[in-house]
Structures are given as structure tokens and as C-alpha cells.
Amino acid sequence: HEGPIFGVPLITLADTGLAIQELEWALKAGARCIGIRPAPVPGYRSSRSPGSPDLDPFWARCAEAKIFVNLHLSDSGYDAHYRRWSGGEGKENGSFQKSDPLIDMLDPMGRPISDMVSALIGHGVPDRHSDIRFVSVENGSSWVQPMLRTFKKVYGQLPKSFARDPVETFRRHFFVVPFYEDDIRWLADNLGSNRVLFGSDYPHAEGLGQPLDFLHELKGFDASETRRIMSDNMQG
């Protein structure tokens, strides 16, 4: 597989200057994208938003390089929320065998990525960096519809707090890798098929044993849409 496979360097945003140094190293080494944990940015005194102005030099370099900023499922610290309700350990701490349905009912996958996207858009990162491109990976897509409903509501209440409609900002700057169980037709209809990406990371949650079986989930899509989702969108 030499040649077609590219590693994804993970970068912490805790120190903006060091993050830029690491980004430059990754770009020089041939990185096609970078990975950022979908979570509040850790700091010396407290956490902060990924949309904090002090991070603008980092986002500006990402936009200039025209790379994908990969927001991959991670330990985002949300197990603390589950522990407050249950007093037990959560999925992010490795307790995958737990049978407590509350873990999944509290949406441990959708909440962190939804919050991350909301912080990036709500605090204006795409408005200040018009070429920035984010992609959500291994988070599925069930979180997209409720998040967009919230965006619509908040924009209706506080239109002057946004440079433009946050729903349109999401459609313009974000790509989504859905799980095969998700409603991919809805996702393509509401974001555009040019914003949906095929994921094949078997045996992780979005993968299938035979990756091209994903084509069965695209019945009803025309040939151009299928090509975009399976290939072209990632290369563009």
C-alpha cells in the first residue's frame, strides 16, 4: 500500500506557536491533512474555544495550505458528563463492555463533534478564514440534523451575531463521513453530495468488512453523486 496511504498528524492547539511549528513540520513532510481533537482547547489556566482569536494564525496557515482539518472521534473529555449522572466510568475511558444504555442515550459521539463545530462556526473561524476546510470523521452524521435545527433557531434569534447564516457556513466549510447506517440521502440533500465522504476504516464503526459494500447504501444516487462521495470529494 505504499503511495496511496497518507498518515494524519495529530496536533494539539494548547500552545499556538508550537502548534504552528508542528503544522509546518507536517506540511513539509507531505501531510495531506491534520487531525484536531474535537474538544475545548486546553490552556495553562483554563480551556478555551477553538475559535479563540489567538488561534487565528494557526487556522490561517491551514487555510493557506488548503488541507483538510480532520475532526476525528477522540477522547473529548465528555465522560465526565456521564460520570456525573451515573457515578461510573464511561466509554471514553475504555469501558466498552458496559451495558448501561445511558452511555449511548447521552450521545457520547454526537455531542463532542456538534459542540466543536458549533464553537468553530459560532466564534467565526470560517468567516475569518474563507478557505478553511474541516472534515468530521468517525462521528457518523446523526448529529447533523439536530445541530442544523439549533443553528436555524439561534440565527433567527441573534442574526447580528453572525457574519452569515451558520447553516450555510456549515455547508460551505465542512465535510462529513457518515456511518453506513445513517440517512445518507438526507445528508446529501441537505449539505450537497459534494460534502459527503466515504469512510472505509474497518473494523471501526464507519467501516464495512468489504469497503465497497458501501455502494449498496448509495442506491438511488446517480453516477456523478456516487463518484463524488466515493472518490472525488476527498481529492478536490
Side-chain angles (χ1 to χ4, degrees):
H1 299 291
E2 292 182 8
I5 295 178
F6 297 87
V8 182
L10 299 176
I11 299 178
T12 176
L13 302 179
D15 183 298
T16 306
L18 291 177
I20 293 173
Q21 289 181 34
E22 196 76 356
L23 174 61
E24 295 293 354
W25 172 86
L27 293 173
K28 186 176 180 180
R32 300 291 186 90
C33 64
I34 59 164
I36 299 292
R37 186 173 72 118
V41 177
Y44 298 115
R45 295 182 178 85
S46 64
S47 60
R48 63 196 192 281
S49 168
S52 177
D54 71 285
L55 290 167
D56 273 349
F58 179 84
W59 297 128
R61 186 67 182 100
C62 290
E64 180 186 36
K66 293 184 172 16
I67 59 172
F68 277 115
V69 178
N70 184 327
L71 306 175
H72 193 286
L73 176 70
S74 305
D75 179 349
S76 297
Y78 279 60
D79 271 2
H81 182 53
Y82 170 77
R83 291 195 297 272
R84 281 195 294 268
W85 283 98
S86 69
E89 293 184 354
K91 187 176 289 187
E92 288 181 352
N93 287 336
S95 301
F96 284 96
Q97 302 304 315
K98 277 191 168 293
S99 59
D100 187 350
L102 181 60
I103 293 177
D104 292 310
M105 292 170 74
L106 291 176
D107 195 13
M109 295 180 68
R111 189 73 259 170
I113 184 62
S114 177
D115 289 352
M116 180 71 173
V117 172
S118 297
L120 289 165
I121 293 178
H123 290 158
V125 171
D127 299 325
R128 299 192 296 273
H129 309 284
S130 60
D131 289 329
I132 197 79
R133 297 190 303 169
F134 296 97
V135 54
S136 168
V137 179
E138 205 169 318
N139 298 292
S141 62
S142 62
W143 52 275
V144 174
Q145 188 170 7
M147 185 191 71
L148 295 186
R149 281 200 302 265
T150 299
F151 281 6
K152 182 178 179 180
K153 176 182 177 182
V154 175
Y155 182 58
Q157 295 172 333
L158 301 168
K160 294 182 180 180
S161 297
F162 297 89
R164 62 175 180 267
D165 185 338
V167 173
E168 292 305 316
T169 299
F170 181 72
R171 289 171 176 156
R172 184 179 302 182
H173 293 277
F174 287 80
F175 296 72
V176 177
V177 179
F179 293 153
Y180 64 89
E181 305 99 331
D182 292 341
D183 188 343
I184 303 170
R185 182 72 268 174
W186 181 93
L187 192 67
D189 287 345
N190 284 272
L191 299 189
S193 59
N194 62 330
R195 290 294 181 265
V196 181
L197 299 178
F198 161 61
S200 61
D201 195 12
Y202 180 80
H204 285 194
E206 84 276 25
L208 293 165
Q210 297 297 323
L212 290 181
D213 284 350
F214 190 84
L215 288 168
H216 297 311
E217 309 303 321
L218 299 181
K219 290 179 179 178
F221 286 76
D222 64 34
S224 62
E225 289 179 309
T226 299
R227 184 179 179 86
R228 282 196 290 269
I229 292 170
M230 298 297 293
S231 176
D232 290 356
N233 291 341
M234 178 59 70
Q235 298 179 45

